[in-house]
């Protein structure tokens, strides 16, 4: 990675992309998210022995994985200290489907279905009645038992981006700040994305390549689609929190008091 371009929240790990401390983000009431409690990341299977030593002082209690069964089986989470490994697929429909690698995606022509519209639909669907996010937020309801926690998918950007939005909004972080954290993955995943584009260029013509790059870059409208779906179904984030996760105002304050300083 190009270290001089990387934000301070990105942990200096050799075997994992986009492993970021969600701490230090300011909330609407002037407090900040405590550092060392909540982390977001891409896949963890490549963590090195040196990375494990770096993470040891964090004392992770929970590793939460959004990937489907075969996706996780091909690149399993390693044991990180005594942390519990929990996997609940964010895309339940893909749980029993074979995982398609990027090379297979391009070689078969399936990449033509990977469009901005497809991503918009996915972002709108994922936050609503999703067992994965319900489990994640269930862990947040008992922070003293389950934090520090890292949640992750393959790239730590889409499924993890929505999970991060839910956590940060629950803690009282303004939506615009949540959006900034979401879009930061365009920076922290720059090398990962470039490797993907290089692989794709062997299969795509220039116009297809431009369309693919455009869809892949994280955009405000993707996360906006998630927030719009929440408001459409529940009228407000507060009602969503209580209906989907059983987090009322009192429990939300308790979570905030634990996670903020």
């Amino acid at each position: 990675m190009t270290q001089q371009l990387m934000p301070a929240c990105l942990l200096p790990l050799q075997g994992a992309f986009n492993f970021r401390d969600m701490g230090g983000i300011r909330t609407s009431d002037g407090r900040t998210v405590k550092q060392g409690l909540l982390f977001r990341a891409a896949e963890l299977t490549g963590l090195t022995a040196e990375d494990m030593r770096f993470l040891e002082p964090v004392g992770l209690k929970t590793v939460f994985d959004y990937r489907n069964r075969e996706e996780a089986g091909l690149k399993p989470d390693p044991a990180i200290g005594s942390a519990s490994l929990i996997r609940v697929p964010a895309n339940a429909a893909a749980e029993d489907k074979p995982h398609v690698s990027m090379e297979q995606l391009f070689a078969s022509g399936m990449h033509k279905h990977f469009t901005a519209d497809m991503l918009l639909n996915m972002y709108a669907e994922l936050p609503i009645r999703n067992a994965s996010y319900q489990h994640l937020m269930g862990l947040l309801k008992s922070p003293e038992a389950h934090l520090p926690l890292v949640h992750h998918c393959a790239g730590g950007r889409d499924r993890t981006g929505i999970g991060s939005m839910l956590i940060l909004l629950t803690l009282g972080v303004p939506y615009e700040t949540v959006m900034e954290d979401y879009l930061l993955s365009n920076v922290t995943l720059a090398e990962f994305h470039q490797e993907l584009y290089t692989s794709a260029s062997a299969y795509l013509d220039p116009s297809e390549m431009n369309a693919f790059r455009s869809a892949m870059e994280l955009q405000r409208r993707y996360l906006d689609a998630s927030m719009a779906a929440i408001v459409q179904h529940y009228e407000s984030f507060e009602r969503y929190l209580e209906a989907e996760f059983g987090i009322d105002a009192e429990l939300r304050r308790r979570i905030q008091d634990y996670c903020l300083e």
Side-chain angles (χ1 to χ4, degrees):
M1 292 184 184
T2 309
Q3 294 296 328
Q4 67 270 22
L5 297 178
M6 292 297 136
C9 63
L10 185 70
L11 274 61
L13 304 176
Q14 298 303 307
F17 284 101
N18 207 15
F19 200 125
R20 288 149 52 189
D21 191 334
M22 296 169 65
I25 297 176
R26 189 170 295 277
T27 63
S28 297
D29 66 6
R31 290 184 288 178
T32 58
V33 181
K34 291 177 183 175
Q35 294 185 318
L37 273 188
L38 294 157
F39 299 85
R40 53 178 296 173
E43 62 193 25
L44 306 176
T45 194
L47 287 171
T48 66
E50 185 177 346
D51 292 337
M52 293 295 190
R53 286 191 291 272
F54 183 88
L55 290 171
E56 188 174 347
V58 173
L60 283 171
K61 291 182 180 178
T62 309
V63 175
F64 189 83
D65 184 358
Y66 297 108
R67 298 174 300 166
N68 63 40
R69 181 180 291 111
E70 187 169 340
E71 189 181 11
L74 290 170
K75 295 185 176 181
D77 283 343
I80 304 178
S82 58
S84 298
L85 304 181
I86 301 172
R87 188 189 64 81
V88 184
N91 185 0
E95 173 68 351
D96 296 315
K97 292 182 179 179
H99 178 64
V100 178
S101 70
M102 281 298 174
E103 289 77 12
Q104 292 169 326
L105 184 80
F106 298 127
S108 66
M110 292 173 62
H111 65 277
K112 294 177 182 178
H113 300 291
F114 189 91
T115 64
D117 285 345
M118 182 274 286
L119 284 171
L120 282 169
N121 291 334
M122 180 189 78
Y123 271 84
E125 292 171 359
L126 283 180
I128 308 302
R129 292 182 288 276
N130 190 316
S132 185
Y133 297 119
Q134 289 170 350
H135 197 112
L136 173 75
M137 299 301 283
L139 298 173
L140 190 65
K141 287 162 69 172
S142 300
E144 60 286 332
H146 302 295
L147 306 188
L149 171 148
V150 58
H151 60 125
H152 80 94
C153 52
R157 36 163 284 162
D158 299 305
R159 292 166 286 187
T160 303
I162 294 172
S164 296
M165 177 186 78
L166 300 183
I167 291 171
L168 293 175
L169 289 178
T170 300
L171 296 181
V173 174
Y175 180 66
E176 184 57 35
T177 305
V178 173
M179 181 65 74
E180 291 172 4
D181 177 70
Y182 167 72
L183 295 175
L184 188 59
S185 286
N186 282 330
V187 176
T188 54
L189 285 171
E191 182 179 331
F192 174 85
H193 286 158
Q194 188 53 54
E195 290 176 0
L196 178 61
Y197 300 148
T198 299
S199 297
S201 65
Y203 302 95
L204 308 184
D205 65 35
S207 63
E208 289 178 319
M209 192 68 226
N210 288 337
F212 180 70
R213 289 179 70 110
S214 177
M216 272 297 296
E217 183 172 352
L218 294 178
Q219 303 169 40
R220 298 180 66 93
R221 59 180 176 149
Y222 293 161
L223 201 63
D224 281 344
S226 291
M227 195 63 192
I230 289 171
V231 173
Q232 178 184 350
H233 282 82
Y234 295 101
E235 296 184 359
S236 70
F237 185 75
E238 289 70 26
R239 289 187 179 183
Y240 169 76
L241 270 185
E242 189 159 6
E244 286 268 358
F245 311 122
I247 298 177
D248 59 16
E250 182 179 351
L251 179 53
R252 190 181 186 187
R253 281 193 295 271
R254 190 174 71 79
I255 294 169
Q256 289 176 351
D257 288 343
Y258 188 91
C259 295
L260 304 178
E261 58 186 6

